[in-house]
């Protein structure tokens, strides 16, 4: 009890120091007075009594100090004093403090930001209960011609599995539209089996999720939080109310759907989803799409067991024909951990960033270290004096330690702010602002699990700890050095700081190290930058400047004829708008990445069997006249689709260069005829090739072009009708997403209302989805590369600046140190030129070594960047050369100033300096 | 003036102070020092200042309590009283001390 009481009082006494001191003084004075009185009574004079009293008492100050030690905790007192002194001394050398704190903040901030991102994406489990048991079943190679599994097969799979306690299916409907007050809005609809939420374990924010009792009902839906906010103004009344959902041209007219619940955004692991509905389950339901199966392992079941079972079930349900069996380099079907599957694409890039940031942190530490060492040397005098006056080595070390800790903490606080800003920046950079259908194409963010990215306290503390360790080591080193050397430079002539050989070697080493690492980063950034440039310049095959792209939305109940008529009228109206140079229509615009293979095209004199089983069949692209001009597609031979090919005439097609090469080899394609064999046993049609056009990179700028056959959409409708395709399928192939492109000399904001007017004037039931300048779409499609290049560029620039500053600092310091020496040299006849040369040589020497070693390191490590590069080999000579020369120039510039200062030294002044 | 200055452990000084207060009633620091010199055969030759850490320790433990009063000569001085807890502690600490000194005595006896 008593010891505890004492402990608490000792702690509390920190806050009552002043009062306690006063009381103590009073008590001691009273004590002394009493002794004096007695001595006076014994006959001493007042003055003698006073002295004698003091002597009898013993040391007053010592008594006070020991009282203090007993009253409070000595080390807390000392620490407080140390901190106060540290802050005073740091405040005095403002330049150093600012440089050190800012450098530390940059290092801690950058490290925290990137590692927080990596932690949130790669390490943290999914925000679902027991998420490690969630798996996804992947079909690695599908036999030729085989569609993805159907709903029926999924149901069978569910019945057969013994390793999974739940199996759900998910697929996406890209054509769905939500009818809101503002008209039809495209929403990302996920169509799921009723046990989907149960398998995931996801809980709703409001209402309920889909349940198996909903199997019979199509009319229930669950919306996501962002949809709720965006389209329903976060109204609480939404749960239970009905909305009108149109499933697009593929599955019929609109239906009324009741919203039964709202899901939080954080669970949207599998792409952009606005709304969930249940799978329509007629017996021959259409295929479910790629890798739609999500499951949960039974407790205790391993991933391998589930994987082999999945393979068995998959093969049993869909055995491939012997001739179309896939080439197996691994199992055909496997089960993968859901989280790993989601993030695996980003892993290589994140590794690169983690490495880059680690390098940056090393540079920062080297920078701070050299700052601290310089400061240490400058204070040698002061420390020697303090030691001579009786301070113990431990005391001085503790003092320096406190300074370093204060510095590191200040850097840490600032670094936390920088880190938080950095995380926000990364999230912003990674977000792709896309509208309408392009939200589905591009996704919401380059980073999977982007919404979960948040600054991690653990990472921050680790970064802080590392910086503190570095600061302490290099801050305290001078003190230890001092006491080891034994000599105290208190002799005359050593008032300024004198550095030893070892000092300048250490500093030189640090600067070299910084240069090495900055070079490596610069090379990496250079490679990525070149990648980006290549991407920007790649021959896309089309020209997006001044082109506006949008999707037309028509009521699905319109007859095909009416839709085609509307399209033609709209095209006419668009062309009539002043400023419009060309307008065109395609069933799916460029970058929409919708690909359709319809039947097989066979060149003359060849057999269907030669081409029927081709892995790469030419794709059919239906479009209208005017599209080629609008997109500036280059016609290589013959003509483009220009509107003269009506449904009444013979079938004509324009093929692209890849198709021409594949189908006709070296001979001229124009003038020849292709036989078009549909999939079913229908009579083939003859299609005359009237033109060859340059390849267009339809899907994304960094993917290769594909053989394509362009036909007028009206001819496609006519021919597929002749073949007996349903009108839904005809429309899917010929009209599809109804992408329009308009090339206009007027700017985008002026054109948009005019386009809208034209659309409304054509048919006031019509709507527009995702109207954007084509250039924005192209930029979005390169968002990933831009993200990489920008991020790494930022690091590299910071690194280069820090390294440059490091070089400057080292040299400026050296000049200052050697002022006297320079003065002597000049007095002895050296010319300014020679002095400048001396300094420059040192600077260049450091730079040369640093840059060369850095280049070697980059050479060795460049292959890790392979996955992220485009059109650039990792060991690209040009990039290396540019970095070497550029950075050398920076180093020269950094050396120049100190060299000039050296030259400006006045020998007389220098010699007189102590 | 400086005869042997006996190095006193913290704990023993505390014990001595408690005992003095128990015997003499409330004392101020000077009186305490005087009492100690008076009782011991040789003067302990403590610096009077060394009492202060002991006093603050005891006060923090709650075994003594200090307040300012007037001396006979009408001077201000801080007097220390023994508290109830202090009295209990005195018994306990005395007991411990006796046991310790017995033990040390036994150990120091020459086995002969």
């Amino acid at each position: 009890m008593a010891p505890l009481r004492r402990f608490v009082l000792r702690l509390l006494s920190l806050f009552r120091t002043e009062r306690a001191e006063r009381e103590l003084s009073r008590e001691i004075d009273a004590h002394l007075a009493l002794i004096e009185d007695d001595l006076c009574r014994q006959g001493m004079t007042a003055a003698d009594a006073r002295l004698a009293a003091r002597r009898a008492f013993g040391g007053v100050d010592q008594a006070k100090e020991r009282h203090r030690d007993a009253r409070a905790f000595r080390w807390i007192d000392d620490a407080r004093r140390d901190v106060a002194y540290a802050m005073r001394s740091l405040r005095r050398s403002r330049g150093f403090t600012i440089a050190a704190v800012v450098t530390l903040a940059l290092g801690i901030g950058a490290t925290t930001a990137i590692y927080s991102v990596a932690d949130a994406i790669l390490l943290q489990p999914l925000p679902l209960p027991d998420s490690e048991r969630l798996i996804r079943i992947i079909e690695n190679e599908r036999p030729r011609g085989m569609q993805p599994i159907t709903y029926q097969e999924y149901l069978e799979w569910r019945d057969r599995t013994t390793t999974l306690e739940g199996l759900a299916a998910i697929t996406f409907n890209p054509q769905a539209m939500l009818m809101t007050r503002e008209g039809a809005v495209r929403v990302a609809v996920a169509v799921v089996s009723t046990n989907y939420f149960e398998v995931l374990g996801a809980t709703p924010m409001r209402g309920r999720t889909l349940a198996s009792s909903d199997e019979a009902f199509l009319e229930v839906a669950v919306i996501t939080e962002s949809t709720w906010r965006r389209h329903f103004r976060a109204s609480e009344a939404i749960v239970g109310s009905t909305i009108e959902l149109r499933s697009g041209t593929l599955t019929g007219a609109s239906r009324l759907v009741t919203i039964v619940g709202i899901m939080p955004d954080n669970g949207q692991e599998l792409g952009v989803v606005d709304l969930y509905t249940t799978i329509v389950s007629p017996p021959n339901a259409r295929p479910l799409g790629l890798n739609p199966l999500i499951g949960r392992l039974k407790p205790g079941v391993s991933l391998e067991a589930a994987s082999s079972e999945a393979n068995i079930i998959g093969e049993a349900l869909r055995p491939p024909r012997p001739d179309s069996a896939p080439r197996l380099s691994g199992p055909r079907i496997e089960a993968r951990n859901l989280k790993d599957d989601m993030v695996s694409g980003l892993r290589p890039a994140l590794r690169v960033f983690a490495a880059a940031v680690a390098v940056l942190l090393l540079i920062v530490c080297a920078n701070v270290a050299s700052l601290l060492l310089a400061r240490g040397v400058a204070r040698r005098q002061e420390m020697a004096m303090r030691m001579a006056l009786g301070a113990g080595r431990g005391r001085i070390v503790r003092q320096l330690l406190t300074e370093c800790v204060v510095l590191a903490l200040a850097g840490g606080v600032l670094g936390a702010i920088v880190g938080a800003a950095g995380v926000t920046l990364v999230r912003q950079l990674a977000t792709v602002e896309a509208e309408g259908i392009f939200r589905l194409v591009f996704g919401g963010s380059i980073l999977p699990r982007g919404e979960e990215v948040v600054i991690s306290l653990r990472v921050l503390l680790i970064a802080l700890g590392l910086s503190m360790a570095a600061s302490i080591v290099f801050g305290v080193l001078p003190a230890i050095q001092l006491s080891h050397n034994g000599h105290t430079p208190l002799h005359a002539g050593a008032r300024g700081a004198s550095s030893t050989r070892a000092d300048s070697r250490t500093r030189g080493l640090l600067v070299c190290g910084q240069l090495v690492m900055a070079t490596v980063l610069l090379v990496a950034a250079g490679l990525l930058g070149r990648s980006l440039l290549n991407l920007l310049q790649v021959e896309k095959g089309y020209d997006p400047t001044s082109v506006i792209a949008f999707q037309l939305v028509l009521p699905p109940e319109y007859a095909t004829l009416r839709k085609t008529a509307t399209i033609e009228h709209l095209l006419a109206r668009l062309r009539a708008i002043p400023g419009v140079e060309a307008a065109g229509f395609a069933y799916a615009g460029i970058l929409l990445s919708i690909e359709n293979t319809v039947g097989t095209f066979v060149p003359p004199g060849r057999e269907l069997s030669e081409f029927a089983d081709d892995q790469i069949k030419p794709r059919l692209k239906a479009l209208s006249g005017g599209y080629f001009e609008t997109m500036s597609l280059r016609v290589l031979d013959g003509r483009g689709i220009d509107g003269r090919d009506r449904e009444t005439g013979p079938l004509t097609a324009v093929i692209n260069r890849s198709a021409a090469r594949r189908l006709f080899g070296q001979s001229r394609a124009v003038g020849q005829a292709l036989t078009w064999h549909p999939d079913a046993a229908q009579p083939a049609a003859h299609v005359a090739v009237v033109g060859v056009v340059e390849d267009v990179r339809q899907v994304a700028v960094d993917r290769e072009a594909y053989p394509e056959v362009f036909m007028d959409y009206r001819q496609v409708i006519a021919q597929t009708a002749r073949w007996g395709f349903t009108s839904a399928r005809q429309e899917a192939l010929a009209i599809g997403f109804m992408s329009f492109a308009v090339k206009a000399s007027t700017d985008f904001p002026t054109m948009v209302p005019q386009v809208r007017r034209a659309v409304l004037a054509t048919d006031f039931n019509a709507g527009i989805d995702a109207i954007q300048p084509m250039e924005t779409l192209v930029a979005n499609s390169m968002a990933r590369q831009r993200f990489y290049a920008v991020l790494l560029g930022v690091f590299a620039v910071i690194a280069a600046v820090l390294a440059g500053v490091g070089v400057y600092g080292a040299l400026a310091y050296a000049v200052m140190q050697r002022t006297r020496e320079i003065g002597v040299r000049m007095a002895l006849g050296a010319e300014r030129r020679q002095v400048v040369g001396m300094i420059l040589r040192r600077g260049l020497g450091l730079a040369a070594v640093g840059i060369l070693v850095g280049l070697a390191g980059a050479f060795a490590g460049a292959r890790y960047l392979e996955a992220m590069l485009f059109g650039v080999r990792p060991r690209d000579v040009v990039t290396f050369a540019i970095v070497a020369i550029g950075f050398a120039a920076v180093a020269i510039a950094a050396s120049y100033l100190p060299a000039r200062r050296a030259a400006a030294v006045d020998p007389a002044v220098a010699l007189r300096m102590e | 003036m400086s005869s042997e200055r006996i190095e006193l452990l913290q704990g023993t000084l505390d014990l001595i102070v408690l005992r003095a207060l128990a015997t003499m009633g409330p004392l101020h620091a000077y009186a305490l020092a005087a009492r100690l010199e008076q009782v011991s055969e040789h003067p302990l030759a403590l610096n009077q200042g060394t009492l202060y850490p002991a006093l603050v320790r005891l006060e923090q433990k709650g075994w003594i309590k200090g307040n300012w009063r007037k001396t006979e000569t009408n001077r201000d001085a801080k007097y220390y009283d023994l508290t109830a807890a202090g009295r209990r502690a005195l018994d306990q600490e005395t007991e411990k001390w006796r046991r310790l000194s017995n033990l040390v005595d036994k150990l120091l006896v020459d086995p002969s």
Side-chain angles (χ1 to χ4, degrees):
Chain A
M1 201 52 231
L4 180 65
R5 187 178 192 271
R6 180 158 182 242
F7 180 78
V8 171
L9 283 175
R10 281 176 94 181
L11 274 179
L12 292 177
S13 76
L14 280 174
F15 304 108
R16 304 207 209 104
T17 324
E18 266 193 43
R19 192 151 60 117
E21 288 290 321
R22 262 197 312 241
E23 174 123 351
L24 178 64
S25 294
R26 188 179 169 208
E27 190 176 351
I28 292 186
D29 286 341
H31 190 152
L32 288 170
L34 289 173
I35 306 181
E36 270 180 52
D37 279 353
D38 274 355
L39 291 174
C40 279
R41 251 201 305 265
Q42 288 168 19
M44 281 199 187
T45 61
D48 286 339
R50 216 188 313 271
L51 288 172
R54 278 215 129 76
R55 244 180 290 132
F57 187 89
V60 168
D61 284 315
Q62 273 166 332
K64 280 193 180 173
E65 184 147 338
R66 292 180 63 189
H67 173 104
R68 244 176 254 133
D69 286 350
R71 184 179 77 227
F73 292 105
R74 178 158 184 189
W75 55 269
I76 294 187
D77 250 356
D78 281 346
R80 198 168 37 170
R81 237 173 306 148
D82 279 344
V83 169
Y85 184 78
M87 300 202 58
R88 263 204 318 270
S89 117
L90 286 175
R91 219 181 324 216
R92 249 181 319 196
S93 23
R94 212 163 304 210
F96 160 81
T97 312
I98 292 180
V101 169
V102 166
T103 312
L104 276 173
L106 279 176
I108 295 178
T111 313
T112 307
I114 293 298
Y115 281 95
S116 296
V117 168
D119 181 59
I121 294 179
L122 295 179
L123 295 178
Q124 295 294 335
L126 296 174
L128 294 164
D130 250 344
S131 59
E132 328 74 52
R133 286 199 284 141
L134 288 174
I135 59 146
R136 185 184 211 133
I137 297 183
I138 314 261
E139 189 166 9
N140 281 325
E141 296 201 49
R142 196 179 309 131
R144 270 202 305 277
M146 194 175 278
Q147 299 277 44
I149 71 169
T150 63
Y151 188 60
Q152 287 303 107
E153 286 167 338
Y154 149 72
L155 288 176
E156 270 211 56
W157 200 312
R158 193 166 76 180
D159 289 333
R160 292 197 197 181
T161 180
T162 54
T163 55
L164 302 174
E165 70 180 20
L167 185 69
I170 178 172
T171 185
F172 291 89
N173 179 353
Q175 294 263 32
M177 302 278 222
L178 180 68
M179 305 308 291
T180 65
R181 216 165 307 191
E182 291 84 33
V185 172
R186 196 171 312 260
V187 284
V189 168
V191 185
V192 298
S193 57
T194 48
N195 62 350
Y196 176 75
F197 293 105
E198 187 190 309
V199 167
L200 282 186
T203 45
M205 279 174 59
R206 302 261 199 285
R208 64 173 179 88
T209 60
L210 301 174
S212 42
S213 51
D214 294 318
E215 196 98 34
F217 302 100
L218 307 170
E219 290 77 25
V220 288
V222 172
I223 60 175
T224 58
E225 188 183 348
S226 44
T227 314
W228 180 48
R229 291 187 200 287
R230 197 179 326 137
H231 296 303
F232 299 109
R233 286 177 307 282
S235 121
E236 293 293 335
I238 193 66
V239 178
S241 63
T242 36
I243 56 169
E244 190 184 341
L245 192 67
R246 240 204 265 162
S247 305
T249 59
L250 294 180
T251 50
S254 47
R255 56 182 206 253
L256 289 176
V257 172
T258 312
I259 298 181
V260 296
I262 306 179
M263 289 301 297
D265 277 336
N266 239 6
Q268 305 322 310
E269 317 297 351
L270 304 171
V272 176
V273 178
D274 293 327
L275 191 144
Y276 293 90
T277 60
T278 52
I279 292 184
V280 178
S281 58
N284 304 321
R286 59 191 174 89
L288 280 178
L290 206 58
N291 298 327
L293 298 179
I294 311 280
R296 184 180 278 276
L297 294 172
K298 282 199 181 134
V301 173
S302 72
L303 195 61
E304 294 73 37
S307 209
S308 32
E309 188 197 55
N311 221 351
I312 296 174
I313 298 182
E315 289 283 346
L317 282 176
R318 292 283 210 92
R321 296 198 316 270
D323 53 331
S324 68
R327 311 157 255 114
L328 289 173
S329 51
R332 176 175 153 212
I333 298 176
E334 62 178 295
R336 263 191 235 155
N337 179 284
L338 186 60
K339 187 188 83 175
D340 289 340
D341 186 53
M342 277 169 54
V343 302
S344 57
L346 201 64
R347 227 183 268 270
L350 273 182
R351 270 202 278 261
V352 168
F353 286 125
V357 135
V359 166
L360 185 65
L361 191 62
L362 283 176
I363 295 183
V364 160
C365 286
N367 223 324
V368 172
S370 97
L371 281 170
L372 284 170
L373 279 179
R375 186 170 152 78
V377 166
R379 292 172 82 198
R380 255 200 207 138
Q381 196 73 13
E382 172 201 337
M383 287 193 280
M385 183 99 62
R386 292 177 74 188
M387 281 190 34
L389 285 176
R393 178 168 29 141
R395 192 82 182 75
I396 294 195
V397 169
R398 217 170 61 212
Q399 174 65 44
L400 287 176
L401 208 71
T402 317
E403 256 183 49
C404 295
V405 168
V406 166
L407 213 58
L409 279 176
V413 166
L414 201 60
I417 299 176
V418 170
V423 167
T424 315
L425 193 71
V426 168
R427 283 183 65 161
Q428 282 285 73
L429 220 62
T431 312
V432 181
E433 288 297 335
E435 289 179 29
I437 184 68
F438 287 102
R439 281 179 66 225
L440 294 156
V441 173
F442 295 129
S445 167
I446 296 169
L447 302 171
R449 303 178 70 184
E451 330 73 47
E452 289 176 54
V453 167
V454 83
I455 188 169
S456 155
L457 194 62
R458 199 179 55 213
V459 169
L460 177 61
L461 289 176
I462 294 177
L464 182 60
L466 281 174
S467 330
M468 207 176 287
S471 323
I472 288 175
V473 164
F474 287 102
V476 164
L477 219 54
I480 299 183
Q481 264 180 346
L482 185 62
S483 16
H484 272 304
N485 289 345
H487 85 283
T488 47
L490 275 180
H491 48 276
R495 203 189 61 195
S498 57
S499 66
T500 62
R501 249 241 153 89
D503 286 331
S504 66
R505 221 196 345 246
T506 320
R507 292 210 77 193
L509 213 65
L510 282 174
V511 169
C512 246
Q514 285 181 297
L515 286 169
V516 167
M517 292 186 279
T519 310
V520 170
L521 270 186
L522 279 174
V523 169
L527 286 171
L528 283 178
R530 269 201 87 186
S531 255
L532 187 62
L533 276 176
N534 282 347
L535 258 186
L536 288 172
Q537 291 165 350
V538 82
E539 185 58 64
K540 295 187 277 289
Y542 60 94
D543 181 12
T545 43
S546 315
V547 175
I548 297 173
F550 66 93
Q551 272 62 245
L552 182 67
V553 178
L554 288 179
E557 53 271 15
Y558 280 13
T560 312
L561 213 59
R562 184 166 178 191
K563 286 182 184 162
T564 21
T566 315
I567 291 172
E568 288 302 316
H569 289 153
L570 180 55
L571 281 175
R573 260 186 220 276
L574 287 172
R575 289 174 187 141
I577 298 177
V580 167
E581 296 164 21
F585 158 88
Y587 92 117
I590 295 178
L591 290 182
L592 206 51
S593 70
I594 306 292
E595 292 135 39
N596 268 329
T597 326
V598 189
T600 315
F601 290 93
V602 180
R606 309 284 284 279
E607 291 301 317
L608 170 60
S609 48
E610 290 174 55
F611 293 88
D613 288 333
D614 237 354
Q615 287 287 11
I616 307 181
K617 282 194 192 171
R619 293 177 181 152
L620 178 71
K621 294 247 171 223
L623 35 71
S624 75
Y627 195 76
F628 276 36
E629 292 88 84
T630 314
M631 287 299 190
S632 311
L633 300 189
R634 206 152 55 98
V635 173
L636 299 172
D637 194 11
R639 64 171 172 89
I641 302 286
D642 53 19
R644 73 175 88 161
D645 317 279
R646 305 295 306 265
E647 56 273 22
T648 46
L651 292 180
T652 52
V654 174
I655 63 179
N656 70 357
R657 188 211 288 258
S658 300
R661 201 174 1 187
R662 180 165 217 87
L663 295 171
F664 295 103
Q666 298 294 357
S667 55
R668 188 167 182 236
V670 174
Q672 307 210 41
L674 289 168
T675 336
W676 189 10
H677 298 258
D679 288 320
Q682 298 270 11
H686 288 277
V687 182
V689 177
V690 296
V692 176
V693 77
E694 182 60 88
D695 288 341
V696 167
R697 291 175 194 261
Q698 292 271 5
V699 173
V701 182
D702 59 349
R703 302 252 207 103
E704 283 305 313
Y706 205 86
E708 291 174 320
V709 174
F710 300 93
M711 288 179 67
D712 193 300
Y713 74 107
R714 294 166 296 188
Q715 293 198 334
V716 173
I717 293 181
Q719 183 57 41
T720 50
R722 268 178 241 139
W723 276 332
F725 285 19
T726 62
S727 74
R729 183 134 169 82
Q730 287 174 38
E731 288 180 17
L733 293 174
I735 302 180
F737 285 86
M738 292 191 268
S739 301
F740 280 79
V742 179
K743 190 179 179 85
S745 48
T746 345
D747 61 40
F748 181 71
T750 325
M751 278 303 295
V752 172
Q754 294 188 315
V755 168
R756 284 197 199 277
R757 261 200 301 271
V759 168
L760 278 175
T762 313
D763 183 332
F764 75 74
N765 286 324
I768 290 187
D769 174 47
I771 178 166
Q772 273 180 305
M774 191 73 196
E775 287 165 307
T776 309
L777 293 177
V778 172
N780 281 349
S781 73
M782 295 194 291
R784 179 178 297 269
Q785 284 79 4
R786 196 180 50 220
F787 177 71
Y788 294 159
V790 167
L791 210 55
L792 211 58
V794 167
F795 290 152
V797 165
I798 295 180
V801 167
L802 284 178
V805 166
V807 168
Y808 170 81
L811 288 179
Y813 191 69
V815 167
M816 190 184 72
Q817 296 290 61
R818 298 162 76 174
T819 312
R820 196 146 177 247
E821 175 200 335
I822 294 173
V824 168
R825 282 178 190 257
M826 293 192 14
L828 287 178
E831 303 202 9
R832 289 192 196 279
R833 198 163 36 86
Q834 289 172 305
V835 167
V836 169
M838 180 176 82
I839 301 295
L840 269 182
R841 260 201 310 276
R842 173 155 172 77
L844 291 183
L846 283 176
V849 172
I851 292 178
L852 282 174
V853 174
L855 286 177
F859 197 75
R863 61 191 167 92
Y864 291 110
L865 275 172
E866 190 118 43
M868 293 160 66
L869 295 180
F870 176 77
V872 180
R873 268 177 13 260
R875 299 196 171 167
D876 180 54
V877 177
V878 175
T879 312
F880 276 74
I882 293 181
V883 168
I885 296 177
F887 206 25
V890 168
I892 292 178
S895 320
Y896 178 63
L897 232 63
R900 267 241 328 237
R901 206 176 297 160
V905 163
D906 181 355
V909 172
L911 285 174
R912 243 183 279 132
M913 257 181 71
E914 285 295 282
Chain B
M1 211 52 292
S2 53
S3 25
E4 320 105 358
R5 285 174 187 262
I6 304 175
E7 291 284 333
L8 273 183
L9 297 170
Q10 252 188 29
T12 50
L13 183 55
D14 290 2
L15 186 53
I16 295 172
V17 168
L18 286 177
R19 184 78 186 133
L21 288 178
T23 318
M24 306 283 295
L27 294 173
H28 52 67
Y30 179 40
L32 260 174
R35 165 77 181 157
L36 294 182
E37 285 206 14
Q38 179 193 43
V39 162
S40 56
E41 303 292 286
H42 283 288
L44 280 181
L46 271 176
N47 276 334
Q48 303 204 358
T50 56
L51 277 176
Y52 281 87
L55 288 172
V56 77
R57 266 199 308 271
L58 291 169
E59 212 177 0
Q60 282 184 333
K61 285 188 182 167
W63 291 348
I64 62 177
K65 182 131 177 63
N67 26 43
W68 287 87
R69 294 181 209 148
K70 297 263 187 213
T71 65
E72 314 89 35
T73 51
N74 216 22
R75 287 264 192 206
D76 282 331
K78 189 167 181 190
Y79 280 81
Y80 291 94
D81 300 285
L82 194 60
T83 62
R87 231 173 270 279
R88 281 197 299 271
L90 175 56
D91 294 332
Q92 281 172 353
E93 295 296 313
T94 313
E95 182 55 39
K96 276 202 272 195
W97 170 253
R98 285 203 208 287
R99 269 190 293 191
L100 179 64
S101 64
N102 275 343
L103 179 63
V104 174
D105 275 345
K106 284 205 197 108
L107 289 173
L108 287 178
V109 163
D110 231 353
S112 47

